[in-house]
Amino acid sequence: MSVDPNRPSAARIYDCYLGGHHNFAVDRALARRAIELVPAIPHIVGANRAFLRRAIRYALGRGVRQFLDIGSGIPTEGNVHEVARSIDPRARVVYVDIDPTAVVHARQILDGDPLTAVVQADLHQAGQILGDPQVKSLLDLTEPVCLLLVAMLHFVPDTPDLRAALRTYHDALAPGSLVAVSHATNAIKELTDLYSRTGLSVVMRDETELAELLEGWRPVEPGLVRSPRWHPEPDTDPAEDPAVFATLVGVAERT
Ligand code: SAM
């Protein structure tokens, strides 16, 4: 994949939602149209980032301090290594994204950081990612790893190649490893047509379909749920806001 300023990219559109500056006019136009269709997008994205933070803290709480973040996106506030290191300075993070904009900016930010690495690759290239020299030198695959697939699987259609790749990650990671997922649902199905008209495929999945992709992983309590309901912060009441409820999330364990 190369940078094409005339075609929107999922990474750059998401950067627009987050108020970032690493995007082009085509991305901003699509993001504006998406927010017109689903005005709650900023809340949905905020809820997704909040889940990511809680999932990282959960993993560290279980003693898992290695993270493989696939579909990591363009760096923003509260990146995985920042959240993780605020709790455990030994945390190691490999960022992987298919999008060159995400990878270039991540490399700029992380240049010289010995506990992080950035790899440009497609989720489907599981063998290549796991065998990448940077991944091998940073992550000890004999110890548990937290695989992050956050707000990315809905860009990946269900194919035998996807199933095979997910099986490869499962089999390569040590027992006690975790996978954290968040995924768009039909509550925001308006976005499917909008994105697909520009060549970006989006696949909404329900709980059963997402659970099928996680075959072999055992969901931890409370299972796959709407994002505010997954290990809410103390003193917060999971809002009954239907917009925030647009995303299914969960963490599952490699047994
Ligand atoms: N994980 C971050 C988060 O939740 O804040 C970013 C999510 S962003 C919505 C989705 C990211 O997945 C984009 O950066 C996109 O480039 C990436 N992506 C989409 N398909 C991918 C694939 N097949 N392999 C790797 N990355 C992919």
Side-chain angles (χ1 to χ4, degrees):
M1 187 180 186
S2 57
V3 176
D4 181 348
N6 300 309
R7 287 190 61 187
S9 95
R12 298 192 314 254
I13 297 165
Y14 191 70
D15 182 61
C16 298
Y17 296 152
L18 290 168
H21 302 290
H22 305 303
N23 48 69
F24 297 117
V26 284
D27 308 305
R28 294 190 285 278
L30 196 141
R32 267 196 304 275
R33 183 82 191 100
I35 293 172
E36 277 165 22
L37 282 174
V38 182
I41 281 179
H43 299 289
I44 295 168
V45 168
N48 181 61
R49 297 291 301 179
F51 163 70
L52 174 61
R53 291 192 291 274
R54 299 199 301 280
I56 294 165
R57 290 202 295 266
Y58 177 85
L60 289 163
R62 292 194 41 163
V64 180
R65 63 168 87 104
Q66 315 186 85
F67 296 86
L68 179 58
D69 183 5
I70 304 185
S72 49
I74 295 171
T76 181
E77 259 182 49
N79 294 303
V80 173
H81 68 285
E82 294 164 329
V83 176
R85 278 188 202 165
S86 69
I87 298 164
D88 188 333
R90 295 164 298 178
R92 294 164 181 253
V93 182
V94 176
Y95 292 104
V96 180
D97 205 287
I98 196 171
D99 189 297
T101 307
V103 170
V104 165
H105 288 291
R107 286 196 177 130
Q108 276 172 1
I109 287 173
L110 298 169
D111 189 31
D113 183 329
L115 297 183
T116 61
V118 186
V119 175
Q120 184 174 0
D122 184 328
L123 166 80
H124 296 91
Q125 299 168 306
Q128 189 181 315
I129 291 172
L130 292 164
D132 185 285
Q134 297 182 86
V135 175
K136 285 170 83 171
S137 73
L138 208 57
L139 305 183
D140 175 358
L141 297 188
T142 66
E143 292 290 324
V145 170
C146 180
L147 174 64
L148 298 168
L149 300 174
V150 177
M152 71 86 57
L153 281 173
H154 45 240
F155 296 112
V156 186
D158 202 349
T159 61
D161 284 354
L162 172 62
R163 299 286 175 131
L166 293 175
R167 171 56 59 183
T168 301
Y169 294 112
H170 173 276
D171 292 352
L173 299 183
S177 291
L178 301 169
V179 59
V181 291
S182 71
H183 202 292
T185 69
N186 261 332
I188 49 172
K189 61 177 180 301
E190 298 92 320
L191 298 185
T192 313
D193 287 346
L194 177 66
Y195 274 63
S196 66
R197 278 201 297 275
T198 67
L200 289 168
S201 75
V202 176
V203 193
M204 302 301 180
R205 291 188 176 93
D206 63 20
E207 191 182 334
T208 308
E209 291 162 331
L210 185 54
E212 274 171 23
L213 289 188
L214 299 181
E215 196 190 337
W217 298 86
R218 186 176 61 202
V220 304
E221 286 296 318
L224 296 174
V225 294
R226 304 292 156 157
S227 54
R229 298 221 176 276
W230 196 89
H231 294 249
E233 299 282 356
D235 303 327
T236 58
D237 184 15
E240 293 292 331
D241 176 353
V244 175
F245 276 55
T247 310
L248 268 177
V249 308
V251 172
E253 180 181 2
R254 162 85 158 88
T255 51

